Amino acid sequence: DTAVSQTPKYLVTQMGNDKSIKCEQNLGHDTMYWYKQDSKKFLKIMFSYNNKELIINETVPNRFSPKSPDKAHLNLHINSLELGDSAVYFCASSQASRFYGYTFGSGTRLTVV
Amino acid sequence: GEDVEQSLFLSVREGDSSVINCTYTDSSSTYLYWYKQEPGAGLQLLTYIFSNMDMKQDQRLTVLLNKKDKHLSLRIADTQTGDSAIYFCAVTATGTASKLTFGTGTRLQVTL
């Protein structure tokens, strides 16, 4: 009964490849997020969707493209992967009208070689 | 934008109290949170406090908020080895209630 689930948990790929990470939440939340955690554990927001609408789009290379087919899913597609994209990517969700914080997925560790 | 700072490392003995500190820059932050991250895991919400409160207690956890100094702290009483983790404070940014800005994280090490 995982609340926020991400797949895959680990992803190792070569530079230049295109990859996707999927996220699903079963909490009935209306807002979903992607965060990137670097090797120093610093967390930075990348994108946020509310009811399938993009509401936060931080300064992220346009090689990163989020897609939300419905409010329970938020996927992240990355084109032309670079070494610097190696990080842990976390999906999270929240209910905007009852803002008691985010529920996080367990993360996807992306390693670009 | 909002800056949220924490000290990087704290070491305490089992049974002692731990105090993890956090400072932030945006005085209009409305909701302030503490998250725990264990190795290889996601972030787990521990507790939160609203900006109109000074203190909140939840079992072994006590959160103190000093709005004047823009300082937030988390006290863990009777610290156990299972409390070893990275602790993040997080605050909402002005005008965007659902955007959380995270601190740099404090690694808590509990020794026997």
Side-chain angles (χ1 to χ4, degrees):
Chain A
D1 261 15
T2 307
V4 181
S5 59
Q6 295 179 229
T7 54
K9 190 169 172 63
Y10 300 97
L11 185 53
V12 181
T13 187
Q14 289 189 324
M15 272 196 306
N17 282 351
D18 303 338
K19 289 293 178 186
S20 292
I21 307 171
K22 295 182 185 296
C23 180
E24 176 182 5
Q25 55 96 3
N26 63 4
L27 297 166
H29 287 166
D30 59 7
T31 308
M32 296 184 72
Y33 311 82
W34 280 110
Y35 271 77
K36 179 180 179 180
Q37 186 174 46
D38 64 22
S39 58
K40 295 182 179 173
K41 304 298 184 185
F42 186 67
L43 278 155
K44 187 169 167 53
I45 192 166
M46 300 172 70
F47 302 104
S48 174
Y49 272 75
N50 177 267
N51 282 318
K52 302 195 298 175
E53 183 181 342
L54 182 66
I55 56 169
I56 295 174
N57 184 355
E58 295 291 288
T59 306
V60 175
N62 58 14
R63 299 181 294 104
F64 289 78
S65 51
K67 191 163 285 190
S68 182
D70 55 60
K71 71 174 191 177
H73 295 84
L74 180 61
N75 303 323
L76 183 65
H77 187 76
I78 315 169
N79 288 326
S80 303
L81 278 154
E82 300 178 357
L83 293 176
D85 298 331
S86 295
V88 181
Y89 292 85
F90 285 102
C91 176
S93 71
S94 70
Q95 182 64 24
S97 61
R98 294 194 305 274
F99 192 49
Y100 297 129
Y102 298 175
T103 301
F104 278 84
S106 56
T108 296
R109 181 175 293 277
L110 171 66
T111 303
V112 183
V113 297
Chain B
E2 172 90 75
D3 281 330
V4 184
E5 297 287 337
Q6 300 176 236
S7 51
L8 286 180
F9 186 75
L10 176 66
S11 181
V12 298
R13 287 196 169 186
E14 189 176 41
D16 288 350
S17 292
S18 309
V19 179
I20 301 171
N21 295 302
C22 171
T23 57
Y24 57 96
T25 55
D26 188 345
S27 58
S28 59
S29 293
T30 310
Y31 304 94
L32 303 101
Y33 303 84
W34 284 103
Y35 281 84
K36 176 184 181 183
Q37 185 179 28
E38 298 185 28
L43 282 81
Q44 172 196 355
L45 178 64
L46 287 177
T47 187
Y48 59 88
I49 190 168
F50 298 137
S51 58
N52 61 357
M53 300 166 65
D54 297 324
M55 186 182 92
K56 181 179 180 183
Q57 188 150 2
D58 185 357
Q59 300 182 327
R60 292 191 297 123
L61 305 179
T62 303
V63 179
L64 294 177
L65 175 60
N66 181 327
K67 287 186 290 292
K68 175 175 168 288
D69 293 338
K70 288 178 271 189
H71 182 267
L72 181 71
S73 68
L74 174 69
R75 179 177 180 269
I76 306 172
D78 186 27
T79 312
Q80 303 297 307
T81 54
D83 295 324
S84 294
I86 300 176
Y87 291 79
F88 292 91
C89 67
V91 303
T92 55
T94 304
T96 313
S98 60
K99 175 183 172 182
L100 280 186
T101 299
F102 283 84
T104 45
T106 299
R107 186 179 296 272
L108 174 64
Q109 178 184 67
V110 182
T111 58
L112 296 172

